[in-house]
Amino acid sequence: MELNRRQEIILDIVKREGPITGEHIAERLNLTRATLRPDMAILTMAGLVEARPRVGYYVSNKPRGRLEMEHLHRVRVGDIKSVPVAVMENCSVYDAVVTIFIEDVGTLFVVREGGILEGVVSRKDFLKVGLGGQDMHKLPVGVIMTRMPNVVMVEPEESVWQAAQKIITHAVDALPVVRPAGGEDGHADYEVIGRLSKTNITRLFVELGGRG
Ligand code: ADP
């Protein structure tokens, strides 16, 4: 995580003078407390600075590794998710493969009206069609997809760590990020609002490593 110039200066003040109140930091910089609030939030979220009520800010003395781990638990799926790429169930395998190339993703979510999740289709499913010699133009993705309720999903409030655990446990590359959308006849509906893939997690990993 890159700090901006002002955040670097604040970190330096806290290092030299901490514990120091937000009011005192603001005075040193000739700024209002309100202006500083987003910077203080970033520094505390990054685990570089800790805050205690009536004491003020001080530099965290927790070992680096532990901070990074805490960060992984603190970051929510909603913070790092990507835009979902979805097709309808009657989309042909041919068009789905074209979509995979155009959108540069490995997994497509299959939805019905309202973005309600019906299934997931990914590269291995397409390779199977290739091996079977079926007509890609005629075959709809609905026939080859992994269908609900067998889709492993994640909600935006879950931690990235929980999502990574699901990815490993179920040996999949991506999870649809969903929110409950009612349902009937005893089965729940979920609206797809994002995509969390191994790439999102790797990007976060690289960002955390770059902080050292
Ligand atoms: P790839 O096919 O690109 O190797 P995966 O390893 O994610 O990607 O997919 C393997 C199988 O798991 C495919 O049959 C796919 O339909 C299914 N799959 C992919 N994502 C999910 C998911 N989130 N939940 C359940 N099944 C999934």
Side-chain angles (χ1 to χ4, degrees), residues 145-195:
M145 69 185 186
T146 299
R147 187 175 283 278
M148 286 290 275
N150 297 323
V151 176
V152 184
M153 307 171 288
V154 72
E155 293 195 24
E157 299 75 26
E158 288 181 63
S159 75
V160 170
W161 188 80
Q162 282 172 306
Q165 249 196 341
K166 286 185 182 178
I167 284 181
I168 295 300
T169 309
H170 299 279
V172 292
D173 287 352
L175 306 172
V177 182
V178 298
R179 66 168 158 243
E184 47 195 46
D185 306 334
H187 69 81
D189 282 343
Y190 294 91
E191 183 192 350
V192 179
I193 57 166
R195 170 171 60 95

Side-chain angles (χ1 to χ4, degrees), residues 16-182:
R16 280 187 286 113
E17 303 181 38
I20 177 168
T21 62
E23 222 169 290
H24 282 128
I25 299 172
E27 265 172 31
R28 296 273 188 291
L29 296 170
N30 266 328
L31 294 168
T32 64
R33 284 203 63 188
T35 315
L36 278 192
R37 204 159 290 134
D39 293 318
M40 299 317 298
I42 284 171
L43 289 169
T44 42
M45 251 176 59
L48 296 167
V49 158
E50 289 186 56
R52 204 171 290 152
R54 286 184 296 279
V55 175
Y57 295 96
Y58 57 96
V59 167
S60 173
N61 56 6
K62 287 185 194 164
R64 256 285 187 245
R66 217 176 107 202
L67 283 175
E68 256 95 73
M69 281 316 297
E70 283 180 10
H71 196 67
L72 272 186
H73 284 273
R74 207 162 28 215
V75 180
R76 305 281 127 194
V77 166
D79 300 331
I80 65 162
K81 67 176 165 49
S82 306
V83 177
V85 181
V87 294
M88 303 293 248
E89 202 171 329
N90 60 0
C91 170
S92 72
V93 167
Y94 180 89
D95 286 340
V97 172
V98 171
T99 306
I100 273 197
F101 278 102
I102 291 175
E103 303 284 349
D104 195 19
V105 292
T107 308
L108 298 177
F109 303 131
V110 183
V111 299
R112 63 169 190 265
E113 291 82 45
I116 304 299
L117 184 64
E118 297 270 43
V120 169
V121 66
S122 67
R123 283 166 290 207
K124 249 172 253 146
D125 301 318
F126 296 126
L127 289 173
K128 268 190 237 157
V129 175
L131 287 177
Q134 287 141 296
D135 186 347
M136 291 175 77
H137 292 274
K138 294 218 178 95
L139 196 65
V141 286
V143 174
I144 63 160
M145 69 185 186
T146 299
R147 187 175 283 278
M148 286 290 275
N150 297 323
V151 176
V152 184
M153 307 171 288
V154 72
E155 293 195 24
E157 299 75 26
E158 288 181 63
S159 75
V160 170
W161 188 80
Q162 282 172 306
Q165 249 196 341
K166 286 185 182 178
I167 284 181
I168 295 300
T169 309
H170 299 279
V172 292
D173 287 352
L175 306 172
V177 182
V178 298
R179 66 168 158 243

